Amino acid sequence: MSNTYFPDMEIIPSDLLEKVLSTMDSYQYDSYTQTDVRKALQNERCTIENLGALLSPAAAPYLEEMADKAKRATSRHFGNTVYLFTPLYLSNYCGNNCVYCGFNCRSQIARKKLTMEEIEHEMKIIAASGIEEVLLLTGESNVKSPLTYIGEAVTLGKKYFRNIGLEIYPVNTQEYHYLHECGADYVTVFQETYDTATYQILHCEGRKTCFPYRFHAQERAILGGMRGVGLSALFGLSDFRKEALASALHVYYLQRKYPAAEYSLSCPRIRPANNGQAYDLYPINEKELCQILCAYRIFLPFVGITVSTRENIAFRNGIVKIAATKVSAGVSTGIGDHGSKQRNETVNTGRKESDSYNKSEHRIENTEELQERTGDEQFEIADERSLPRMYQDMVSEGLQPVLNDYLYV
Ligand code: SF4
């Protein structure tokens, strides 16, 4: 593992990295038996040992029982709600070289960084669809997308959305504090892989080479005042059972250290990048993904679980009834794409909109001038449903779609 911090990177005192990696390294999933799995399913409280059993190959024949238990936990803690949000890509400039990603600094792709005017235009389009939570993403370049740029975008976002999440390059505590002051609510940082040897091979240039700085991003975000944090491995880069164990433990130990924060886990599987690169080194099928998500829910009953448009419609419709609590809708992974893909659909929630977030306020100007050129997409998506379509589908599945669950007083 590269432990080399860049001079400006903050080092915080924490024993989480050691705890997660040592448990993951000693995890022998082939040693678990069906008796261990049955015991894990019978236990009221799922221990780390039980989690190991539920993620093991021995649990495969028990997927139905796992799904039943996960479903009961989800409905006990979240009812039948499912949260909807939309990601907005601000820039695809990146200073890192992750060999599996189409945005990496060596990729010959069309680069674009939205101006504030373009960002506002995109936000108006997204807000007009009815969405109240947006996730702002950038490639990881603190030169092309400096903190002030992201802060300005967040401030702008507060005019249109109630909740703002960030998926940007990891920063120091004080910088998270600044972004929180601008209006950001939560931060997601994907570790990509907890396998330190693989991490070093796949992340060969840029600030991302420093494994521990990335690992401690969630702690710094919480210390900087963020309400919530999210994380995950990117499944496909290394042994998925170990990656899932490490991701769950990362949240577990954070939760014990900072019980007041909100946590969420994702489950991204690697998708083909738009530059033709395919790095699905350790393929994981849908059944195995379902096993992971059920194990997450049983082990961490209060934690949000997000399923992105990397997964197809059938999988997403099914998993929200078992373990997932949050899905994206109206997704476009290109830069400045919402304008060009403008759908002119608005969700009908059947309720009165609040005054300050009235959709009709968000007048959308002619897009042509603002959308001269869009930047390339990061990866292909498998579910292209718009927000209204997703909203309706969730209702049809017997779920209650939620656009916002947080009120500022
Ligand atoms: S995964 Fe993120 S950090 Fe890595 S190249 Fe892609 S955009 Fe950059």
Side-chain angles (χ1 to χ4, degrees), residues 136 150-160 164 178 181-183:
L136 303 181
I150 298 167
E152 246 185 277
V154 171
T155 307
L156 205 50
K158 272 300 174 202
K159 278 170 65 181
Y160 298 97
I164 299 192
Y178 159 75
E181 293 285 295
C182 290

Side-chain angles (χ1 to χ4, degrees), residues 25 31 60 62 67 98-99 106 120 132 155 163 202 236 254 285 287 298 363 365 368 370:
D25 288 342
S31 68
Y62 293 88
C98 311
V99 296
R106 301 284 163 186
E120 183 154 22
E132 296 186 21
T155 307
N163 276 298
L202 298 180
L254 279 168
N285 63 38
K287 269 194 172 171
I298 295 167
R363 201 171 60 78
E365 292 92 359
E368 276 168 26
L370 289 170

Side-chain angles (χ1 to χ4, degrees), residues 121-132 160-161 342 344-347 353 357-364 387-388:
H121 179 72
E122 295 273 301
M123 285 176 172
K124 281 181 181 175
I125 291 168
I126 295 169
S129 74
I131 210 86
E132 296 186 21
Y160 298 97
F161 306 101
Q342 194 173 333
N344 289 324
E345 294 170 89
T346 301
V347 70
E353 297 295 328
Y357 287 84
N358 194 325
K359 296 191 290 276
S360 62
E361 280 179 6
H362 308 317
R363 201 171 60 78
I364 301 161
L387 172 70

Side-chain angles (χ1 to χ4, degrees), residues 25-65:
D25 288 342
S26 61
Y27 177 43
Q28 300 288 334
Y29 49 75
D30 282 329
S31 68
Y32 289 90
T33 64
Q34 296 200 353
T35 308
D36 297 323
V37 177
R38 282 196 294 273
K39 209 164 110 190
L41 286 168
Q42 280 156 13
N43 271 2
E44 189 55 39
R45 212 183 124 260
C46 184
T47 63
I48 295 176
E49 192 53 21
N50 294 151
L51 172 68
L54 295 176
L55 289 171
S56 75
Y62 293 88
L63 192 52
E64 218 166 292
E65 286 93 327

Side-chain angles (χ1 to χ4, degrees), residues 228-288:
V229 291
L231 60 86
S232 179
L234 174 58
F235 293 110
L237 299 181
S238 186
D239 186 330
F240 73 85
R241 297 183 200 276
K242 290 196 170 219
E243 299 279 32
L245 185 93
S247 302
L249 289 180
H250 196 167
V251 169
Y252 174 83
Y253 288 123
L254 279 168
Q255 213 174 33
R256 258 135 205 83
K257 195 164 174 183
Y258 306 98
E262 294 172 15
Y263 296 94
S264 67
L265 270 163
S266 306
C267 55
R269 284 195 294 176
I270 199 157
R271 297 275 303 159
N274 80 340
N275 59 2
Q277 289 169 329
Y279 271 90
D280 200 358
L281 304 174
Y282 293 82
I284 159 173
N285 63 38
E286 278 186 4
K287 269 194 172 171
E288 290 162 336

Side-chain angles (χ1 to χ4, degrees), residues 69-327:
K69 195 172 168 77
K71 196 173 178 175
R72 283 197 300 279
T74 305
S75 110
R76 190 175 315 129
H77 299 292
F78 297 90
N80 68 340
T81 56
V82 57
Y83 300 88
L84 304 179
F85 73 102
T86 294
L88 169 54
Y89 283 74
L90 306 181
S91 163
N92 61 6
Y93 285 95
C94 189
N96 295 319
N97 187 0
C98 311
V99 296
Y100 50 84
C101 175
F103 279 6
N104 80 42
C105 60
R106 301 284 163 186
S107 282
Q108 299 299 311
I109 59 164
R111 302 278 176 182
K112 182 166 171 73
K113 169 186 161 188
L114 298 180
T115 63
M116 284 304 141
E117 195 187 8
E118 288 168 328
I119 292 172
E120 183 154 22
H121 179 72
E122 295 273 301
M123 285 176 172
K124 281 181 181 175
I125 291 168
I126 295 169
S129 74
I131 210 86
E132 296 186 21
E133 175 172 331
V134 73
L135 173 66
L136 303 181
L137 302 96
T138 62
E140 298 195 10
S141 170
N142 58 358
V143 176
K144 289 288 186 181
S145 314
L147 205 67
T148 46
Y149 169 77
I150 298 167
E152 246 185 277
V154 171
T155 307
L156 205 50
K158 272 300 174 202
K159 278 170 65 181
Y160 298 97
F161 306 101
R162 291 181 196 268
N163 276 298
I164 299 192
L166 292 176
E167 202 178 307
I168 59 163
Y169 48 87
V171 297
N172 293 344
T173 304
Q174 276 314 311
E175 294 168 316
Y176 280 126
H177 179 71
Y178 159 75
L179 293 170
H180 179 61
E181 293 285 295
C182 290
D185 296 286
Y186 66 93
V187 165
T188 297
V189 178
F190 293 134
Q191 191 62 31
E192 318 296 14
T193 175
Y194 289 84
D195 171 346
T196 53
T198 301
Y199 186 96
Q200 203 166 355
I201 295 165
L202 298 180
H203 305 99
C204 37
E205 281 177 88
R207 294 169 68 85
K208 199 168 173 177
T209 51
C210 184
F211 184 99
Y213 185 68
R214 193 168 192 86
F215 182 93
H216 293 303
Q218 287 82 9
E219 272 200 80
R220 295 193 303 274
I222 294 168
L223 294 170
M226 291 290 173
R227 199 173 85 231
V229 291
L231 60 86
S232 179
L234 174 58
F235 293 110
L237 299 181
S238 186
D239 186 330
F240 73 85
R241 297 183 200 276
K242 290 196 170 219
E243 299 279 32
L245 185 93
S247 302
L249 289 180
H250 196 167
V251 169
Y252 174 83
Y253 288 123
L254 279 168
Q255 213 174 33
R256 258 135 205 83
K257 195 164 174 183
Y258 306 98
E262 294 172 15
Y263 296 94
S264 67
L265 270 163
S266 306
C267 55
R269 284 195 294 176
I270 199 157
R271 297 275 303 159
N274 80 340
N275 59 2
Q277 289 169 329
Y279 271 90
D280 200 358
L281 304 174
Y282 293 82
I284 159 173
N285 63 38
E286 278 186 4
K287 269 194 172 171
E288 290 162 336
L289 188 62
C290 185
Q291 182 184 345
I292 290 175
L293 293 176
C294 291
Y296 280 173
R297 173 55 67 227
I298 295 167
F299 181 59
L300 298 162
F302 307 106
V303 163
I305 294 179
T306 305
V307 180
S308 77
T309 50
R310 289 169 184 262
E311 301 306 325
N312 63 41
I313 294 179
F315 184 84
R316 299 218 301 162
N317 282 357
I319 203 69
V320 286
K321 289 188 280 189
I322 298 170
T325 52
K326 195 168 181 178
V327 286

